[in-house]
Amino acid sequence: MATTAMETMVEEYSQVQAPKDLKQKTLAKFASDLGIDSTNLILWSLADQASLDPAHTKMLISVLQNNNDDIRSLLNPKMGEYDRPPLHHAIERKNFPFLDRLIAPQQVASQELSDLSVEIVIALRGKNPEQYSFTCLHASIRAKLPCVVDMVTLCALVEAEESKLRRVAKQIHDDTDKNEKVESIFLMRDIRGNTPLHLVMESLGNGMKRKSTTSGEYVQYDPMQVIDAMEKACDMAALWTAINDAGYSPYKYLLKNIGKVRSDAERPQDFQEQIRAKVFGALNDIPLLKRALYGTRGTYVPMAET
């Protein structure tokens, strides 16, 4: 049986026996090999790579397994030209190997989520400091990255353990109220009030393929797979009835953008019918259905013509 990309990455993790506290000499060598002055920027520099060779992969896994919060921090931005944390930078650079190895192996079924998994989700929730306008999940959907499904799954797993999410967030941000309810990343907004699901609607019919760096197989950003992953883990009633700043629900936003759908496999109206069925499957309350179908703008948008 062929080895999957996930199995390959999990095997990579198991083969790196990094000490929990990397010696300063080891970290200094990592920094030197990357051509940087500060060990605190090792993750940022790895995120900046066009690709990860085996040495870079081992370095990344070693740092992620390390207990030094300053070294493995996914929140430390590189000040100056970019001023953004490693995850946002890897997404901007479309550094697939970095993102794959960071996110996918954290989903391996276990009884207890690691603090690292929670830290990754906290970093994914962080908004881009350049404009403070979107999370890593928003950015990944806009960029049509194949790892979006893995992001959705990991975020849902961590959000299900809200007390642990609050505890780790408190450790990272001293001003975090450990008793305050955590807003779901799936309801967080970009600068125009769009949730991640709004942006998925915008990307329907516009998938993107790329070759996996681990399995060699072609993987694809598929908006319908992203929605399926959300349905397995989220309160879809809340997601379908979320309204952006223009008064559009996700379904209404799809209708607004239906002319942009480009797909050889399906017609625009096929997507529309599929999404409409999902809305009806998630909601049975008439006022909520109206909100999900029409938003708050009050303008009826007819079904796309055949």
Side-chain angles (χ1 to χ4, degrees):
M1 183 181 293
T3 303
T4 66
M6 175 74 81
E7 290 170 338
T8 302
M9 287 184 281
V10 171
E11 180 65 19
E12 286 177 343
Y13 267 69
S14 67
Q15 289 177 356
V16 177
Q17 301 299 321
K20 293 299 181 183
D21 295 294
L22 290 174
K23 293 180 180 178
Q24 193 59 37
K25 183 177 179 181
T26 303
L27 293 169
K29 184 177 187 312
F30 285 171
S32 174
D33 290 345
L34 291 167
I36 55 177
D37 298 326
S38 171
T39 55
N40 288 6
L41 293 176
I42 289 174
L43 272 184
W44 195 96
S45 183
L46 288 170
D48 191 50
Q49 305 297 313
S51 62
L52 297 184
D53 60 26
H56 286 150
T57 298
K58 184 175 180 179
M59 192 185 301
L60 172 61
I61 296 171
S62 297
V63 171
L64 292 176
Q65 292 178 351
N66 181 34
N67 278 339
N68 187 322
D69 292 339
D70 289 334
I71 303 302
R72 85 172 193 187
S73 174
L74 290 161
L75 302 171
N76 283 345
K78 178 180 180 181
M79 308 306 290
E81 183 180 358
Y82 297 109
D83 189 19
R84 58 183 171 233
L87 262 174
H88 272 289
H89 191 60
I91 292 166
E92 183 72 21
R93 292 273 290 162
K94 291 185 170 63
N95 187 339
F96 299 123
F98 180 94
L99 293 167
D100 285 346
R101 287 169 175 83
L102 188 71
I103 295 166
Q106 307 310 319
Q107 295 176 56
V108 177
S110 65
Q111 295 299 314
E112 215 173 302
L113 282 171
S114 68
D115 280 3
L116 174 59
S117 297
V118 181
E119 288 170 25
I120 290 171
V121 170
I122 290 171
L124 288 172
R125 293 167 57 87
K127 293 196 172 182
N128 191 320
E130 293 172 324
Q131 298 173 312
Y132 199 69
S133 60
F134 50 85
T135 67
C136 288
L137 184 55
H138 285 93
S140 299
I141 294 169
R142 283 197 179 279
K144 302 180 181 66
L145 301 187
C147 63
V148 171
V149 169
D150 290 333
M151 282 188 185
V152 167
T153 304
L154 180 60
C155 287
L157 285 171
V158 170
E159 287 190 0
E161 300 285 343
E162 187 174 341
S163 60
K164 186 161 190 173
L165 179 56
R166 285 200 302 268
R167 176 180 63 77
V168 177
K170 176 69 176 173
Q171 291 172 356
I172 296 174
H173 303 290
D174 289 337
D175 59 346
T176 300
D177 183 350
K178 66 179 181 180
N179 296 314
E180 183 180 351
K181 185 171 176 59
V182 177
E183 180 184 24
S184 172
I185 192 172
F186 303 108
L187 289 172
M188 294 177 76
R189 312 302 182 109
D190 67 11
I191 199 169
R192 294 182 176 84
N194 291 319
T195 65
L197 186 56
H198 281 92
L199 300 187
V200 174
M201 296 299 103
E202 193 174 50
S203 68
L204 274 169
N206 295 286
M208 187 189 81
K209 283 188 177 180
R210 58 96 177 172
K211 197 169 187 178
S212 169
T213 54
T214 52
S215 68
E217 299 170 352
Y218 280 93
V219 292
Q220 180 173 0
Y221 167 79
D222 183 337
M224 295 304 292
Q225 287 183 4
V226 176
I227 297 170
D228 290 343
M230 288 182 176
E231 286 180 323
K232 291 175 184 175
C234 303
D235 174 11
M236 292 307 293
L239 270 58
W240 288 122
T241 55
I243 305 297
N244 68 11
D245 292 349
Y248 292 113
S249 63
Y251 177 75
K252 186 71 175 288
Y253 198 59
L254 167 66
L255 301 189
K256 174 181 178 291
N257 293 286
I258 200 75
K260 300 177 185 176
V261 171
R262 299 285 183 271
S263 174
D264 296 330
E266 299 186 69
R267 302 168 302 168
Q269 61 268 32
D270 293 332
F271 285 115
Q272 186 176 338
E273 290 164 3
Q274 288 178 54
I275 299 303
R276 188 180 177 92
K278 288 180 178 294
V279 171
F280 275 92
L283 297 161
N284 52 29
D285 180 82
I286 298 301
L288 291 180
L289 265 173
K290 286 182 177 179
R291 181 181 173 90
L293 293 174
Y294 308 124
T296 58
R297 289 176 64 91
T299 304
Y300 172 68
V301 181
M303 293 284 283
E305 294 181 3
T306 336

